[in-house]
Amino acid sequence: ELSTRSINFAAYHTLDTIYSWMDSLVAQHPGLVTKEEVGRSYEGRPMYVLKFSTGSDRPAIWIDTGIHAREWVSQATGVWTANKIATDYGSDASLTSLLNSMDLYLLIVANPDGYVYTHTRDRMWRKTRSVNPGSACRGVDPNRNWDAGFGGPGASTNPCSDSYHGPAAHSEVEVKNVVDLITSHGNFKSFISVHAYSQLLMYPYGYSCSHVPDQPELDSVGRAAAQKLASLYGTSYRVGNICNIIYPASGGSIDWSYDAGIKYSFALELRDTGRYGFLLPASQIVPTASETWLALKHIMEHVRDHPY
Amino acid sequence: QRLFVGDQVIRINAESEEQIQLLQALETQEEWELEFWRRPVSTGLPVDVRVPRGSLEPVRSYLLAHDLPFSVLISNLQELLNEEKAEMERNQKL
């Protein structure tokens, strides 16, 4: 029932279904895909990353989807993308060469507690589900919790706010798990976080409006990726650094990864039809994922072709 | 389960820096319990706000009073949530 052949990619799924489906993907592509537990969430749920690898000791690319729980098209895009990578390996020459030289890590549900909460209690939940001592409000914005200008502009000190940064950098175990994996691995060359909705392709910084040293290259890569994305359905993205094209936002994941030495750090905000906000109809998952794939692939190819 | 019956999501297209500031003032207005899905930043980006049913009238009055152009993105959030839930249930059965 849950084989990769029968899962409906044009549907939203629960955490359990996604996790079970991961097992079937691994079973069907044993020489390519493994499912690794990165750690546990605040409420004790496992956090699984899919690792696509054809060798050992390789540089790697990181992609996470759905750090904000309610942005469901992100997690759904992650599922579709994982399947795309597994099925295209061996037939798509460019992807094959990429995976023959680099590993790819895909964290489909970066905030499992929040995701389950959106399915069971509050569809509009964004944050983690950790208890904030002294407050009736729960949760921290996991994209304000990274050690990158932590506690600076664009993050709230109020535990009831949707952009609450938390008591300390990496206080959220969901963030800490990723930080520990990236740090201990030590050879990630790209870090991509996928959000929804706003149609943006961004690079660091969010905690500062000053340009990063690699701004010209990141901007050029981002613009080319956005062009590729638009080539499928004409979906138009704005490209730039977080601070200038949205607003100052401290404690973000890609600011941390860039400052940790991962040059090719990007964040995407997926499709917005202007009618549904976070409730993009499931019929649009596959078109969204398909166009996003073109941008992701362009970035990954650039990373492969520009070792540093 | 939290319900959003009658809540609307309104899209506001600010046309000047002054209008952005008026919207930013709304962000600090706690009484209306607004939830900004997209915050007021610049005139180039639309602002999306979820407005609870009970706050619809004062918010509309505020927008009209300040000539802030807006449209209704989602007229009843709960209806959309119900449709999504029904679709998921159908899909699970399949």
Side-chain angles (χ1 to χ4, degrees):
Chain A
E1 185 185 357
L2 289 173
S3 80
T4 54
R5 286 196 185 91
S6 67
I7 195 169
N8 183 2
F9 293 106
Y12 293 115
H13 297 288
T14 63
L15 184 72
D16 289 344
T17 303
I18 292 173
Y19 279 0
S20 300
W21 172 79
M22 283 182 182
D23 290 331
S24 69
L25 187 76
V26 171
Q28 290 196 1
H29 304 275
L32 177 64
V33 193
T34 50
K35 184 177 103 171
E36 297 184 0
E37 188 175 319
V38 178
R40 298 254 160 177
S41 67
Y42 179 82
E43 292 179 331
R45 295 183 176 87
M47 291 175 66
Y48 292 124
V49 68
L50 288 174
K51 181 181 177 186
F52 300 82
S53 179
T54 61
S56 55
D57 296 326
R58 296 210 168 139
I61 292 171
W62 172 268
I63 301 174
D64 62 80
T65 55
I67 199 169
H68 287 146
R70 64 189 174 186
E71 298 168 11
W72 277 15
V73 77
S74 307
Q75 294 93 339
T77 292
V79 171
W80 183 94
T81 303
N83 186 64
K84 178 75 174 165
I85 294 166
T87 53
D88 277 11
Y89 176 73
S91 59
D92 178 318
S94 178
L95 177 70
T96 305
S97 90
L98 177 82
L99 288 173
N100 283 342
S101 58
M102 301 189 81
D103 292 344
L104 180 56
Y105 289 72
L106 178 55
L107 180 65
I108 293 178
V109 189
N111 175 6
D113 294 348
Y115 189 62
V116 168
Y117 201 72
T118 61
H119 279 265
T120 54
R121 298 297 179 92
D122 180 353
R123 174 66 180 82
M124 289 301 127
W125 190 256
R126 162 184 167 101
K127 302 188 285 181
T128 62
R129 289 296 302 161
S130 57
V131 167
N132 295 309
S135 172
C137 297
R138 290 180 73 153
V140 165
D141 182 341
N143 205 35
R144 299 288 184 279
N145 190 243
W146 301 68
D147 190 9
F150 177 80
S156 174
T157 56
N158 178 3
C160 296
S161 165
D162 256 348
S163 54
Y164 175 49
H165 53 54
H170 305 172
S171 63
E172 299 311 282
V173 69
E174 295 84 357
V175 171
K176 180 81 166 41
N177 289 336
V178 176
V179 166
D180 287 349
L181 184 149
I182 300 282
T183 307
S184 63
H185 183 285
N187 200 16
F188 275 89
K189 299 299 183 187
S190 178
F191 187 107
I192 303 168
S193 284
V194 178
H195 293 248
Y197 66 111
S198 285
Q199 290 180 197
L200 304 169
L201 204 168
M202 297 170 288
Y203 48 82
Y205 287 123
Y207 71 75
S208 157
C209 286
S210 60
H211 284 315
V212 294
D214 299 298
Q215 192 267 348
E217 184 183 3
L218 296 180
D219 194 71
S220 161
V221 175
R223 286 185 192 285
Q227 271 190 358
K228 292 267 175 71
L229 186 153
S231 69
L232 196 55
Y233 300 112
T235 307
S236 171
Y237 269 51
R238 285 169 57 134
V239 179
N241 67 6
I242 298 169
C243 182
N244 285 320
I245 66 166
I246 323 185
Y247 41 71
S250 57
S253 65
I254 68 165
D255 283 3
W256 173 83
S257 60
Y258 186 82
D259 282 348
I262 305 174
K263 177 163 73 165
Y264 297 113
S265 292
F266 290 95
L268 287 107
E269 291 269 1
L270 304 186
R271 181 186 283 218
D272 165 29
T273 63
R275 293 180 62 193
Y276 301 102
F278 298 114
L279 294 158
L280 196 69
S283 60
Q284 294 197 33
I285 293 170
V286 174
T288 304
S290 304
E291 66 185 13
T292 304
W293 171 243
L294 299 181
L296 290 174
K297 202 172 158 205
H298 178 84
I299 293 170
M300 293 192 294
E301 287 166 347
H302 185 88
V303 175
R304 176 197 61 198
D305 298 339
H306 295 81
Y308 65 95
Chain B
Q1 188 156 20
R2 188 171 176 193
L3 300 176
F4 298 86
V5 179
D7 287 16
Q8 291 193 345
V9 180
I10 288 175
R11 173 161 288 188
I12 307 154
N13 290 296
E15 291 167 341
S16 66
E17 191 52 41
E18 190 190 2
Q19 290 190 333
I20 291 289
Q21 285 171 10
L22 285 166
L23 291 171
Q24 285 168 344
L26 267 186
E27 279 191 291
T28 56
Q29 162 66 272
E30 289 182 6
E31 189 189 341
W32 291 342
E33 297 180 325
L34 305 180
E35 186 194 10
F36 280 79
W37 285 9
R38 300 218 284 200
R39 294 173 52 206
V41 188
S42 68
T43 50
L45 287 169
V47 177
D48 293 345
V49 197
R50 181 180 63 79
V51 184
R53 183 178 50 174
S55 303
L56 281 171
E57 242 183 72
V59 169
R60 281 170 175 269
S61 300
Y62 181 91
L63 297 175
L64 290 169
H66 293 95
D67 288 326
L68 283 155
F70 69 93
S71 59
V72 176
L73 193 71
I74 298 173
S75 59
N76 182 345
L77 184 58
Q78 192 57 45
E79 273 181 16
L80 212 50
L81 290 169
N82 292 344
E83 284 172 25
E84 186 183 69
K85 196 172 179 183
E87 190 182 1
M88 282 190 72
E89 284 168 1
R90 272 198 308 275
N91 189 60
Q92 268 189 323
K93 281 178 191 164
L94 274 176

